[in-house]
Amino acid sequence: MNLGHKLFIGFGIVIALMVLILVYTYINYDNQTKAVDDNLSSTEIIQESNSILISLLNMETGARGYAISGTSEFLEPFYEGREEYLEHFSRLQELAKNKEYIEGNLKTLNKRYEKWYEWETAQIIANREKVNAGLFSMEDIVAIVNSQVGKKEMDAIRNIINNVIDAEQNTLNSRYDNLKKAERKTGYVMTFGGFLTALLSIGISLFTALTVSRPVKLLIQATENIKDQKYEEQVRLVGDKELNLLINRFNEMQAMIKYREEQLNIKNEALKAQMAEVNEATKLKSQFLANMSHELRTPLNSIIGFTNRVIKKSGESLPPTQQENLLIVREEANHLLELINNLLDYSKIEAGKMEVHPESFNLLKVIDEVYQMTKTLAEGQNLNYRQDSYTKEDIPIKSDRMKIKQILINLLSNAFKYSEKGTVALSVEKKESLYYIRVKDEGVGISEEDIGHIFDEFRQVDGSYTRKVGGTGLGLSITKKFVEMLGGKIEVCSTLGEGSCFTVILPDDIENNEIQSEMQKDENSSLTYKKKIVCVDDDPNIQRLYKQYLSEYEFETIALTGREDVMERINEICPDAILLDIMLPYKDGWEILSELKNNNHTKNIPVIMASVLSEKNLAYRMKADEYLIKPVTQEELVETIMRTIRKKQGIDVLVGDDDENFLNLMGQFLKEESMPYRLAKDGEAVIQEMLFKKPDVLILDIMMPKKDGFTVIEEIRNRESIKDTPIIVVTAKDLTNKEKEELHERTSIIIQKSAVMMDTVMETLVKRIKEKFENA
Ligand code: ADP
């Protein structure tokens, strides 16, 4: 019998016992109520009988009084007594219904009464009237009374009534005895039954406590032990089979947790040891770097100093070739010094020795100084160099002056290094409590593929230009670290062949943590890539509407009214598309469109004209990408923007595969098809790339290190920002039917890789991607 059955039977007995007691008590109560009713009727019978006795006494007394006195007043109680007698007698008859014994007595009583009444009226009252009339003497009356006829009758009547009273009194008494007995019995039953029920309930409670509560308590205690990492004590078995099963499972689980924790501890220890080694190695590396840099810097300074001296003092007297040689020595030595300085900075940052020295100063002055210092860099190159500020007044800031200088010099020297033509602009702007310092150039630019890595240490873009100009690949990573130390962040926007714009955002007070946390928030939210749409329209209501429409679709809208320098703002923002009204306050939309399309920087940004005017043909002739007639619906707007961006930018493809050959091949194919692409070597890298920027399509291998394709798909589908990315699975794995089914449910296309037909696979793939997007 299991625990449930035992408890069921126990509680069943208790309930049955309670029902029995209840039924018994109810029956007894009913009987007692009836007995009380009967008692009431008996008491009434006795009362009525006594009333009859009183009425008779009144009649008798009246008749005697009249017999003695002859005064008619004495007859009044006699006749009144008769009235009362009749009344009580009839009530008694009513009460005695169904009581045969009393009914019999009443019949006899009435007969005798009538006889007595007749005798009293005929013999006593009538003859006394005759005495009053002088026809009879008092002696005759006395003789009649002395005959005792009346008395005998009355005695008999009284006997009958007393019998009735006695009989009823007896019944009353015996009923009372019965009631007492029944009451006592009920008391016994309730006490005994209640006691039994209580005893049983205690038994069941004890049983439950012993069989259920105790083991549960033990289990709770055991979970506490697990929480405190005490695994030795196992939970003891109890009598019940089911509970034992649970306890056994629990003990197994505890053993498993213990085993896993031990394993984890071993791994943690190993990891700690490794970490210590790594830290030690890093420390040694930094120390080595610092020592080496120092050792190298000293002789280098001498080399530069002496070379400068030689060039200055006797340069002109040297033959031209020697003169050139010396200039090369100086240039190379300067380059080496820069490299060493960078290494020294880097090692200081790494070792946590780089300190921030906050002070209050005028940011505009520092920018001016940097501008003057770097002016020489532009000389000799075919470059314009410009400096702009939002104000001519002082710009107060609390930060590290030297670091800001170094940040700007790094960015500017890159701008000059990577530009052969165009303009380099250094500008500053203020938004709320943040300063936006921009270094913008029109140089070689950075490809989308490389832009994510330029801040990595020792990372240089692999290209002939970079090789030509040289460098360490440390400048930007140091710059980024400096900016972060100042509580700010750095952003970059660049187009290959068209130029770059680096923006350093700094708080006006380095000690103001609120800004830092605000920027942190910003950074987190920028994990999901939003396409930027610039909306140029002077009607604030339209702007509000555009914002509402587009914010639902992962677009970031930037509103321009047309009063500002639209071209400059667009240059800074580098939007993914522009929504342009025609009737604007300063320049009209046509003018802006023509400027956008004639500027190398902006000509590729899709422009969608939106106006109440119907000028579609003119717009297309002026190279607008799309034309919308206002009012525009949300669907129309979103659909048009998406279509134009896709048309302009091609399809952004992310390829995830651990096979480098396949990645290379895919890269070449996608390049030939002029599709922007990114490559990821394992599952984890795929997710990271996707979160950095959502691709238009993901080409995914199934067997990969770190995270396999199935896990990657699962993670993608669970993340709101990327879950709808189309996925094309390309795999060499022989998929089982179940796997195929699972993949078909969650992906768009599955293509099997085969070494022999790799080219064909690639072509099919590219074709499929194109088809898919042209149909979309
Ligand atoms: P480097 O010493 O090579 O300049 P940096 O860390 O300063 O190292 O820059 C890393 C890479 O970023 C450079 O190799 C270069 O390809 C790219 N880069 C930096 N600034 C610019 C720029 N203004 N224009 C184009 N490319 C740039």
Side-chain angles (χ1 to χ4, degrees):
M1 206 189 292
N2 68 23
L3 189 67
H5 287 135
K6 283 179 197 163
L7 285 175
F8 183 74
I9 290 173
F11 282 117
I13 292 173
V14 171
I15 290 168
L17 215 65
M18 283 165 81
V19 170
L20 274 177
I21 295 171
L22 213 71
V23 170
Y24 178 82
T25 317
Y26 176 75
I27 293 170
N28 237 344
Y29 169 78
D30 202 40
N31 287 341
Q32 285 184 11
T33 320
K34 268 188 216 140
V36 169
D37 283 348
D38 286 346
N39 280 359
L40 269 178
S41 127
S42 294
T43 316
E44 266 183 283
I45 288 173
I46 292 169
Q47 265 177 5
E48 289 306 320
S49 303
N50 281 328
S51 300
I52 287 177
L53 280 178
I54 292 167
S55 316
L56 288 174
L57 189 67
N58 287 343
M59 284 177 84
E60 205 178 25
T61 316
R64 295 233 177 106
Y66 187 65
I68 293 164
S69 68
T71 317
S72 62
E73 270 93 27
F74 282 106
L75 283 179
E76 267 170 37
F78 180 79
Y79 289 114
E80 273 169 16
R82 176 165 173 81
E83 291 292 312
E84 280 164 16
Y85 166 84
L86 289 175
E87 201 182 305
H88 291 302
F89 184 78
S90 82
R91 223 177 290 152
L92 197 57
Q93 260 183 327
E94 248 335 277
L95 290 167
K97 259 184 201 161
N98 303 328
K99 289 189 171 177
E100 273 174 37
Y101 163 74
I102 300 177
E103 269 180 331
N105 272 327
L106 286 187
K107 267 183 205 154
T108 328
L109 168 77
N110 208 32
K111 258 188 227 156
R112 295 214 125 167
Y113 168 77
E114 286 305 328
K115 210 171 146 192
W116 174 80
Y117 177 71
E118 248 168 58
W119 191 82
E120 284 289 316
T121 42
Q123 294 299 319
I124 306 276
I125 296 169
N127 287 331
R128 183 62 181 92
E129 274 170 8
K130 281 181 190 163
V131 173
N132 283 353
L135 298 173
F136 231 63
S137 72
M138 272 309 281
E139 281 81 24
D140 296 331
I141 297 296
V142 172
I144 292 167
V145 172
N146 278 340
S147 72
Q148 293 202 355
V149 177
K151 184 181 177 295
K152 278 177 196 155
E153 273 312 316
M154 186 48 79
D155 285 346
I157 288 168
R158 283 209 172 95
N159 263 341
I160 293 169
I161 294 173
N162 281 333
N163 282 344
V164 169
I165 290 174
D166 286 347
E168 260 332 281
Q169 192 60 51
N170 284 340
T171 327
L172 210 60
N173 288 346
S174 84
R175 260 199 235 118
Y176 181 72
D177 285 346
N178 285 344
L179 260 176
K180 276 271 167 211
K181 269 186 214 155
E183 210 177 287
R184 237 174 287 135
K185 247 198 239 166
T186 314
Y188 289 146
V189 169
M190 282 187 71
T191 317
F192 179 70
F195 182 69
L196 204 65
T197 316
L199 217 63
L200 259 168
S201 303
I202 292 171
I204 293 171
S205 306
L206 267 171
F207 173 76
T208 321
L210 286 174
T211 48
V212 183
S213 304
R214 215 177 109 248
V216 168
K217 238 194 220 162
L218 287 175
L219 283 172
I220 292 172
Q221 178 59 43
T223 54
E224 290 289 322
N225 285 347
I226 291 181
K227 214 168 77 189
D228 299 339
Q229 297 179 321
K230 291 183 207 149
Y231 304 109
E232 276 62 42
E233 218 172 298
Q234 295 247 311
V235 184
R236 259 173 291 128
L237 293 183
V238 290
D240 189 77
K241 227 162 75 183
E242 281 172 303
L243 284 170
N244 278 346
L245 197 70
L246 178 71
I247 292 173
N248 275 331
R249 290 270 187 284
F250 184 87
N251 285 338
E252 279 168 26
M253 191 179 80
Q254 184 173 316
M256 191 65 92
I257 293 175
K258 185 183 169 196
Y259 172 73
R260 294 221 176 117
E261 200 165 292
E262 279 166 4
Q263 294 294 312
L264 214 74
N265 280 342
I266 295 172
K267 279 188 189 151
N268 269 349
E269 285 306 315
L271 226 79
K272 262 190 214 159
Q274 274 174 7
M275 276 296 287
E277 277 172 29
V278 170
N279 283 343
E280 184 60 26
T282 315
K283 219 172 101 193
L284 284 176
K285 186 190 82 182
S286 300
Q287 241 169 28
F288 172 76
L289 274 176
N291 293 344
M292 279 300 290
S293 307
H294 186 74
E295 291 304 318
L296 289 170
R297 215 151 50 147
T298 325
L300 254 178
N301 276 329
S302 309
I303 294 171
I304 295 168
F306 285 122
T307 320
N308 270 339
R309 241 186 116 66
V310 176
I311 293 170
K312 210 172 165 192
K313 291 279 170 199
S314 45
E316 275 165 23
S317 55
L318 288 170
T321 333
Q322 296 307 322
Q323 233 183 81
E324 239 169 66
N325 286 349
L326 270 183
L327 284 175
I328 291 170
V329 169
R330 187 174 65 175
E331 198 180 307
E332 291 294 307
N334 269 325
H335 178 67
L336 217 57
L337 187 64
E338 186 200 326
L339 189 139
I340 287 160
N341 282 340
N342 274 345
L343 273 177
L344 202 63
D345 279 347
Y346 180 73
S347 66
K348 264 194 193 163
I349 295 173
E350 278 278 276
K353 282 190 191 150
M354 185 63 82
E355 282 172 7
V356 178
H357 303 286
E359 57 180 315
S360 298
F361 57 94
N362 173 9
L363 179 64
L364 189 58
K365 194 162 167 249
V366 171
I367 291 175
D368 269 339
E369 281 167 19
V370 172
Y371 177 70
Q372 297 304 335
M373 271 167 70
T374 45
K375 238 177 172 175
T376 45
L377 293 172
E379 283 163 14
Q381 288 196 64
N382 188 18
L383 286 172
N384 291 324
Y385 188 19
R386 202 152 56 76
Q387 185 216 338
D388 291 318
S389 166
Y390 71 100
T391 174
K392 295 266 174 290
E393 314 271 305
D394 285 3
I395 303 178
I397 188 169
K398 186 165 186 195
S399 198
D400 186 323
R401 183 206 301 260
M402 289 317 290
K403 293 215 168 48
I404 294 183
K405 261 192 177 173
Q406 200 165 337
I407 290 166
L408 297 183
I409 291 170
N410 280 357
L411 292 178
L412 284 164
S413 58
N414 274 352
F416 290 116
K417 204 156 78 173
Y418 298 105
S419 305
E420 287 178 316
K421 57 177 175 46
T423 305
V424 172
L426 168 65
S427 64
V428 58
E429 210 187 314
K430 184 173 188 189
K431 277 186 207 156
E432 288 164 19
S433 56
L434 300 176
Y435 292 118
Y436 287 68
I437 311 172
R438 287 198 181 82
V439 175
K440 210 161 148 292
D441 64 62
E442 292 172 355
V444 295
I446 308 161
S447 72
E448 234 181 278
E449 189 191 328
D450 292 321
I451 209 159
H453 305 294
I454 55 168
F455 293 105
D456 297 350
E457 293 90 6
F458 305 106
R459 192 71 175 241
Q460 283 184 297
V461 171
D462 188 22
S464 54
Y465 195 85
T466 317
R467 272 193 294 278
K468 194 170 97 189
V469 295
T472 56
L474 267 180
L476 282 183
S477 69
I478 291 173
T479 305
K480 184 167 182 253
K481 291 225 160 79
F482 276 7
V483 173
E484 281 164 1
M485 286 171 95
L486 301 184
K489 69 170 182 173
I490 183 163
E491 284 175 354
V492 59
C493 125
S494 182
T495 315
L496 196 62
E498 290 173 14
S500 318
C501 177
F502 286 83
T503 310
V504 175
I505 308 166
L506 292 176
D508 59 2
D509 186 345
I510 191 171
E511 278 144 21
N512 190 343
N513 285 330
E514 248 173 65
I515 296 157
Q516 285 188 21
S517 58
E518 221 170 81
M519 293 213 280
Q520 200 78 37
K521 255 195 280 164
D522 242 43
E523 219 153 66
N524 292 343
S525 63
S526 73
L527 269 180
T528 50
Y529 178 83
K530 283 191 172 177
K531 288 202 164 27
K532 289 188 210 157
I533 313 294
V534 164
C535 307
V536 193
D537 201 310
D538 59 331
D539 181 345
N541 289 331
I542 298 266
Q543 288 287 11
R544 217 169 295 137
L545 202 67
Y546 283 160
K547 199 178 174 95
Q548 278 174 19
Y549 281 175
L550 297 177
S551 61
E552 286 171 29
Y553 286 85
E554 292 274 313
F555 287 116
E556 182 192 341
T557 49
I558 300 123
L560 300 183
T561 57
R563 286 185 183 83
E564 59 281 85
D565 188 339
V566 175
M567 281 305 290
E568 188 172 319
R569 294 286 288 127
I570 288 175
N571 258 318
E572 280 165 18
I573 298 163
C574 296
D576 293 277
I578 299 163
L579 208 58
L580 184 61
D581 186 24
I582 293 179
M583 289 180 291
L584 290 167
Y586 271 148
K587 277 183 207 166
D588 68 15
W590 300 121
E591 244 180 288
I592 296 178
L593 177 65
S594 122
E595 278 180 29
L596 283 169
K597 291 298 168 189
N598 289 321
N599 180 308
N600 271 347
H601 263 269
T602 52
K603 69 178 178 205
N604 285 328
I605 305 174
V607 180
I608 301 156
M609 305 287 287
S611 169
V612 282
L613 308 172
S614 175
E615 297 276 14
K616 222 175 196 161
N617 289 338
L618 177 60
Y620 287 143
R621 254 184 281 131
M622 289 188 66
K623 297 190 194 146
D625 296 81
E626 284 288 344
Y627 194 94
L628 294 173
I629 295 176
K630 284 186 195 165
V632 187
T633 65
Q634 183 179 24
E635 262 181 17
E636 205 180 354
L637 183 70
V638 173
E639 208 269 322
T640 314
I641 291 180
M642 288 209 188
R643 187 160 19 92
T644 20
I645 292 180
R646 229 179 268 139
K647 224 165 39 186
K648 274 276 168 194
Q649 295 192 338
I651 303 150
D652 173 19
V653 184
L654 175 63
V655 191
D657 200 313
D658 59 329
D659 175 356
E660 281 200 19
N661 292 335
F662 180 76
L663 285 183
N664 280 339
L665 267 173
M666 261 323 282
Q668 282 171 30
F669 265 89
L670 292 167
K671 209 176 222 166
E672 275 165 27
E673 296 294 330
S674 26
M675 289 190 192
Y677 65 92
R678 283 174 289 156
L679 307 174
K681 273 196 290 201
D682 56 58
E684 229 164 71
V686 171
I687 297 285
Q688 266 168 19
E689 283 293 339
M690 293 209 53
L691 290 177
F692 174 68
K693 184 182 168 198
K694 181 180 160 190
D696 294 307
V697 68
L698 168 67
I699 297 172
L700 188 68
D701 183 26
I702 289 297
M703 289 189 299
M704 283 184 298
K706 294 191 186 169
K707 271 181 191 155
D708 70 5
F710 289 107
T711 322
V712 170
I713 294 173
E714 179 76 34
E715 269 188 40
I716 292 173
R717 298 303 183 219
N718 283 337
R719 279 184 196 254
E720 199 51 42
S721 58
I722 49 172
K723 71 173 185 195
D724 56 348
T725 316
I727 302 173
I728 298 178
V729 171
V730 180
T731 179
K733 185 179 190 291
D734 240 350
L735 296 170
T736 63
N737 282 345
K738 196 167 160 261
E739 285 173 333
K740 268 188 199 159
E741 229 169 74
E742 194 183 322
L743 284 174
H744 269 303
E745 257 172 40
R746 310 176 131 232
T747 60
S748 313
I749 304 163
I750 303 173
I751 296 174
Q752 293 270 336
K753 250 193 248 176
S754 80
V756 228
M757 298 170 69
M758 208 55 183
D759 280 5
T760 337
V761 169
M762 296 289 190
E763 272 162 24
T764 326
L765 201 58
V766 173
K767 218 168 100 202
R768 290 276 186 108
I769 298 173
K770 279 193 166 171
E771 270 168 19
K772 195 165 166 52
F773 279 89
E774 268 149 26
N775 294 339

